[in-house]
Amino acid sequence: MQIAANKAVSIDYTLTNDAGEVIDSSAGGAPLVYLQGAGNIIVGLEKALEGKQVGDELSVTIEPEEAYGEYSAELVATLNREMFEGVDQLEVGMQFHASAPNGGMQIVTIRDIDGDDVTVDGNHPLAGQRLNFKVKVVSVRDASAEEVAHGHIHGEGGHHH
Ligand SMILES: [Zn+2]
């Protein structure tokens, strides 16, 4: 069975940056399970996997525009400490959920604290980076109608609800 839209796919993968550092990997854990065509994984990886089948191995380099986007200086802002009312201790590296301009949610990371000035960055931690994936296709099956309706995979490695 080939990978196509609405297939439930599981993959083993290792993600490295251009310096060769491992950023993420399924090694030692369970494979990643996702629904092809639903935006569960970055678009560049979905494209590379389309048409592949169980046992196929591939190495693919994905440019930022098909991964986590270009780094945008517009997503960096300096806020007053008062904006973080209710947080006991602000520290560089802390992450918060914030509402994005498009109405969705984004994760912002504190980059710097200078007195009452708190600099936050709404870029994805991997924004602007070229990503190198080594991937092996572990299994491919038809997704259930319910999984397709939900836009994600249920059961082992997927959503439980
Ligand atoms: Zn669901």
Side-chain angles (χ1 to χ4, degrees):
M1 181 180 285
Q2 290 188 319
I3 295 175
N6 298 335
K7 300 294 184 193
V9 182
S10 60
I11 54 172
D12 279 324
Y13 70 97
T14 298
L15 167 60
T16 54
N17 61 19
D18 274 353
E21 296 163 339
V22 174
I23 297 170
D24 194 11
S25 174
S26 63
L32 172 71
V33 182
Y34 78 96
L35 178 64
Q36 177 78 359
N40 292 172
I41 60 173
I42 58 173
V43 61
L45 193 54
E46 274 200 340
K47 281 186 185 174
L49 284 163
E50 181 81 17
K52 297 292 187 290
Q53 43 198 342
V54 172
D56 282 355
E57 296 184 53
L58 57 152
S59 294
V60 56
T61 295
I62 299 171
E63 298 296 327
E65 60 263 32
E66 293 206 318
Y68 293 100
E70 298 290 351
Y71 188 87
S72 170
E74 292 175 9
L75 294 177
V76 179
T78 300
L79 307 173
N80 190 283
R81 186 182 282 273
E82 289 176 357
M83 295 284 291
F84 298 89
E85 199 178 324
V87 181
D88 286 340
Q89 186 147 21
L90 290 176
E91 288 175 22
V92 170
M94 286 176 94
Q95 294 187 318
F96 297 87
H97 289 274
S99 39
N102 64 11
M105 295 295 286
Q106 65 181 170
I107 291 175
V108 299
T109 306
I110 294 183
R111 291 284 173 229
D112 190 41
I113 301 173
D114 181 10
D116 282 342
D117 291 338
V118 180
T119 302
V120 296
D121 186 344
N123 286 284
H124 188 281
L126 295 176
Q129 292 202 40
R130 185 187 294 138
L131 304 179
N132 306 290
F133 284 91
K134 277 177 75 81
V135 179
K136 183 174 183 182
V137 181
V138 177
S139 73
V140 183
R141 66 167 168 84
D142 288 318
S144 70
E146 188 183 49
E147 288 170 327
V148 171
H150 285 201
H152 56 227
I153 295 303
H154 295 156
E156 196 174 340
H159 286 243
H160 297 273
H161 62 103

